[in-house]
Every structure is written in structure tokens, then in C-alpha cells.
Amino acid sequence: TTSRRLADRKVERFDKNITKRGAVPETTTKKGNNYPVGPVLLGFFVFVVIGSSLFQIIRTATSGGMA
């Protein structure tokens, strides 16, 4: 019958896709650096940490070793 032929055609079409599962071409995969934070945020963090440590060293040196 017609509905059986349509069903068979639909099954054939989807059966072809089953063999292609997992075969993703490398051009569509994401390439590059996957850093959890951006370079600007990392630079700001380094600036704050190094700046505060330098400030602490200078403050300790000018107060004569007594905080």
C-alpha cells in the first residue's frame, strides 16, 4: 500500500543517518584556547595581586619593619 511505501522510504532515509553518527568533521569542531577566564580578567587579577604585594612590601619597609 501507499502508506507502507512511504514508511519504508522514511525508514531508509533515517537508516543512512545511523551510520553517520559520531562522524563529525574536524572543521565544525571548536578549535582554539578554552580558558575558563578571559585574558583581560587574568591580567587584572595579576595586576591586583602583584600590586598589593608591592604595596605591602613598600609599607613594611617605610614603617621600619613594624606593621
Side-chain angles (χ1 to χ4, degrees):
T1 63
T2 308
S3 62
R4 181 68 183 158
R5 277 187 283 153
L6 287 174
D8 287 341
R9 217 181 306 158
K10 195 183 272 189
V11 167
E12 284 178 25
R13 189 171 65 208
F14 288 113
D15 277 344
K16 285 190 278 186
N17 289 336
I18 290 174
T19 60
K20 295 179 185 176
R21 284 186 185 167
V24 180
E26 289 200 22
T27 56
T28 59
T29 57
K30 196 174 183 182
K31 290 185 179 178
N33 300 328
N34 293 329
Y35 296 123
V37 294
V40 174
L41 186 63
L42 186 64
F44 178 73
F45 181 73
V46 168
F47 172 76
V48 168
V49 169
I50 293 176
S52 65
S53 64
L54 285 175
F55 181 73
Q56 184 69 29
I57 290 170
I58 291 171
R59 195 173 78 170
T60 305
T62 56
S63 67
M66 295 292 193

